[in-house]
Amino acid sequence: MNRRRFLQTAAAASLGLLNLPVIGRAFAPSELADNSRFDIILVGTGYGSAVTALRLAEKGKRCLMLEMGMDWQASGMKFSRMAWAEKQSTWLKTHTIAPFGNYRVFPKFTGALDRIDFDQVHVYAGRGVGGGSLVNGGMSVTPRRDYFEEIFPQLDAQAFYDKYFPLANRELGVSVMPESYYRQSAYYQFSRVGEQEGCAAGYTVQKVPNVYDYDYMQKEEAGLVPKSGLQDEVIYGNNHGKKDLTKTYLKKALATGNVTILGLHRVDRIADQGDGSYALSVSQINTEGETVAQKTYHTGHLFLGAGSLGTTELLLKSHAEGTLPKLDGEVGRYWGNNGNTMAARAGLKHALGSKQASIPAAGLAKWTKGDDAVFAEIAPFPTGVDLRVALYLVINRVPKYGQLGYNAAAKRLELAWGKEHNAHMVRNAGQFLDKMNAANGGWRSTIFPKGVEPKICYHPLGGCVLGKATDAYGRLNRHKGIYITDGALIPASIGVNPYVTITALAEYCIEHVYQQDFA
């Protein structure tokens, strides 16, 4: 990222700011001292926060962004491959946390991928400047309009499909893999077989746009550039071809000169000051997760984009500890896993290829009105050996919502989500596998119990739902000056990979919030 950085000076050291990870030039180091006040603070640097920062910065507003993870570009460290994960792969754990194949151990480090474990669901989250954009597969899917209207009946769907979704896709750099390359690449044999078998089983093939640079990918295959998407780089980060937020929204936001990002800064608590402002208790940490400084920052405009779990936990924790006493009872409700279920088939008749790209390119859909609707991403299994095993990320409706709460005594976030919440997902994924096997041969793989793993969640949604915990534009009920920008706004499910929807919602919200609260 081409950006000017403030390096530490003797004056900064005297303020206790030595080694402060500062990105951007909106604020000088002296302005970032403990007990400073900022007109606008954004928590997190994922999709919602990145959109919001850019649009405010373009209007001349100075913004401070607080990110608990690292600035990976400044660190000089490479993201880990899936096949040989190192300490930078994983957030403050001593072992890898991939859905399977967890065999590496290492010292704790503020790595790229975190996993928050509840009894019946394990939620994955990206850590670092760029948030979830660092560790997702880049699948950029606009939801079906009829399902979007079902989820958000209060919104003007025409405006979203005419304006906000196209805007989000354009700014994110979304494109579709060239058909000629897809059809001939040895790295996408697995996906072509998945299409063929899906059609035989009665599913509709859906080509999936992505933010990966396909010109770069073709050079990868030709041996002209370092391999990335063709070398099992995905859930622990991608070193080259993927256009994560540091190459799109955040890059543009920092280029305005009106944004500063502080990495390794975790917001622990929000306190309502009673005068229209909020005090944030902030811990600066090192790469071992140890607190090296405690600070308080003040603001009158607080934008929360720490993800479904992060944003909701921060609000519920602050309420439980008495610093945000007026919190609406809607906060924590309508949580879901976007219907995420991993499924696997073994014994396939057709070779999938020993070379498999880590970037998905297609899915199989049967999105009906009933609760048996599925969208199955044809996922790679890049082991370097053709095991004749096919993986799918199956997305379902979520008819039974979960609820988040905060246990003040235990000091932890809790989730009411049991096997009954996953039951229809397990059933649907099993039916999907059985239909694929009946049409094509094969059996349910033993990688997962009965071929299905419902505990894996890549797409946590809900907790501060638009129009319920917030007003129509993401303003938190009962708290003027607090705004929600992330996946917490979406109730439980959107039917596809959700970040394009999160981006579009953030564009919609900040457009109206700026006009009404800042202009």
Side-chain angles (χ1 to χ4, degrees):
M1 185 185 301
N2 295 322
R3 48 187 162 173
R4 295 167 56 191
R5 300 176 181 278
F6 284 105
L7 300 178
Q8 285 67 43
T9 62
S14 69
L15 291 168
L17 296 174
L18 192 63
N19 297 322
L20 185 65
V22 184
I23 311 165
R25 60 185 187 272
F27 301 99
S30 60
E31 297 180 272
L32 299 171
D34 182 28
N35 218 36
S36 295
R37 182 180 177 88
F38 305 87
D39 186 41
I40 298 167
I41 293 180
L42 300 98
V43 179
T45 56
Y47 293 101
S49 287
V51 169
T52 303
L54 172 59
R55 299 312 175 202
L56 289 171
E58 286 177 331
K59 299 292 188 181
K61 303 296 183 181
R62 293 202 304 166
C63 303
L64 176 65
M65 305 183 80
L66 302 175
E67 168 59 53
M68 69 186 293
M70 293 171 51
D71 176 8
W72 285 96
Q73 291 193 356
S75 76
M77 301 183 74
K78 292 286 188 181
F79 291 118
S80 286
R81 295 176 56 186
M82 289 177 63
W84 194 252
E86 300 175 274
K87 69 176 184 178
Q88 63 265 37
S89 68
T90 306
W91 178 261
L92 297 177
K93 292 180 174 62
T94 58
H95 56 86
T96 45
I97 54 171
F100 41 78
N102 295 316
Y103 56 89
R104 299 299 309 284
V105 295
F106 34 63
K108 285 186 179 181
F109 188 78
T110 49
L113 185 69
D114 195 5
R115 192 180 77 194
I116 302 93
D117 290 351
F118 302 99
D119 286 344
Q120 295 300 321
V121 64
H122 301 158
V123 180
Y124 287 85
R127 300 293 184 220
V129 175
S133 76
L134 300 175
V135 298
N136 64 29
M139 294 186 76
S140 309
V141 196
T142 299
R144 286 175 57 105
R145 178 164 175 166
D146 58 347
Y147 194 54
F148 180 81
E149 291 173 339
E150 181 181 330
I151 296 297
F152 291 115
Q154 77 276 29
L155 296 180
D156 181 354
Q158 191 68 43
F160 271 81
Y161 284 82
D162 287 349
K163 179 180 180 179
Y164 299 110
F165 281 124
L167 173 60
N169 282 304
R170 185 167 61 250
E171 293 282 11
L172 291 166
V174 173
S175 63
V176 177
M177 183 182 294
E179 186 70 9
S180 58
Y181 175 66
Y182 177 76
R183 289 298 163 195
Q184 60 83 30
S185 172
Y187 287 87
Y188 281 93
Q189 183 173 330
F190 81 93
S191 190
R192 296 192 297 270
V193 169
E195 284 191 10
Q196 176 186 336
E197 294 190 334
C199 289
Y203 292 95
T204 301
V205 173
Q206 184 174 337
K207 283 293 168 40
V208 178
N210 205 290
V211 291
Y212 204 86
D213 183 341
Y214 290 120
D215 289 338
Y216 187 91
M217 181 176 282
Q218 291 178 69
K219 292 176 183 177
E220 289 180 65
E221 189 159 1
L224 302 175
V225 294
K227 283 185 170 61
S228 193
L230 300 188
Q231 186 172 258
D232 64 88
E233 291 180 1
V234 58
I235 65 171
Y236 296 135
N238 184 280
N239 287 302
H240 299 290
K242 193 173 75 171
K243 290 172 279 188
D244 62 42
L245 287 170
T246 68
K247 299 174 183 176
T248 56
Y249 275 99
L250 289 175
K251 180 178 181 179
K252 291 179 70 172
L254 287 162
T256 66
N258 289 320
V259 173
T260 287
I261 303 172
L262 294 184
L264 297 175
H265 276 63
R266 183 187 67 234
V267 179
D268 298 320
R269 190 176 298 101
I270 304 166
D272 188 340
Q273 299 296 91
D275 60 358
S277 71
Y278 300 92
L280 275 60
S281 299
V282 181
S283 296
Q284 182 182 342
I285 63 174
N286 61 22
T287 54
E288 286 73 49
E290 301 165 336
T291 299
V292 296
Q294 296 279 4
K295 305 171 187 177
T296 300
Y297 287 153
H298 303 267
T299 187
H301 297 98
L302 176 60
F303 291 85
L304 299 181
S308 168
L309 293 184
T311 288
T312 308
E313 179 178 12
L314 187 54
L315 293 172
L316 292 172
K317 177 184 178 183
S318 300
H319 178 66
E321 295 180 350
T323 61
L324 211 58
K326 298 183 293 183
L327 198 66
D328 193 320
E330 291 288 322
V331 175
R333 299 184 64 194
Y334 306 103
W335 190 88
N337 66 348
N338 200 28
N340 287 180
T341 305
M342 289 297 297
R345 297 168 53 226
L348 274 66
K349 292 181 179 179
H350 304 286
L352 300 181
S354 59
K355 298 177 178 179
Q356 295 188 26
S358 58
I359 305 301
L364 304 173
K366 187 180 180 183
W367 200 261
T368 59
K369 284 291 185 182
D371 66 358
D372 61 343
V374 295
F375 172 74
E377 170 191 316
I378 301 171
F381 194 25
T383 63
V385 179
D386 186 356
L387 300 175
R388 299 289 179 101
V389 173
L391 292 184
Y392 311 89
L393 174 62
V394 182
I395 297 174
N396 302 263
R397 294 171 180 263
V398 179
K400 185 177 178 61
Y401 299 127
Q403 180 156 345
L404 293 161
Y406 188 79
N407 186 325
K411 296 184 178 180
R412 67 169 181 258
L413 186 69
E414 295 185 339
L415 172 64
W417 183 269
K419 290 184 178 179
E420 68 276 13
H421 291 82
N422 289 331
H424 82 287
M425 303 173 202
V426 172
R427 182 200 67 202
N428 286 358
Q431 288 178 349
F432 168 78
L433 292 177
D434 292 344
K435 289 178 181 178
M436 293 290 284
N437 290 332
N440 301 286
W443 54 85
R444 296 192 188 193
S445 171
T446 56
I447 290 176
F448 306 125
K450 297 183 180 179
V452 177
E453 177 50 85
K455 288 187 177 181
I456 295 170
C457 172
Y458 295 128
H459 305 148
L461 298 172
C464 295
V465 168
L466 189 74
K468 294 186 182 295
T470 78
D471 72 356
Y473 305 117
R475 298 183 185 92
L476 187 67
N477 294 343
R478 302 180 183 175
H479 289 88
K480 183 179 180 181
I482 298 183
Y483 310 83
I484 311 302
T485 70
D486 55 26
L489 293 170
I490 301 173
S493 166
I494 198 62
V496 292
N497 308 59
Y499 75 79
V500 172
T501 303
I502 294 169
T503 303
L505 283 171
E507 290 279 15
Y508 159 81
C509 288
I510 193 56
E511 177 184 284
H512 290 86
V513 163
Y514 180 80
Q515 292 169 354
Q516 296 172 13
D517 295 6
F518 291 92

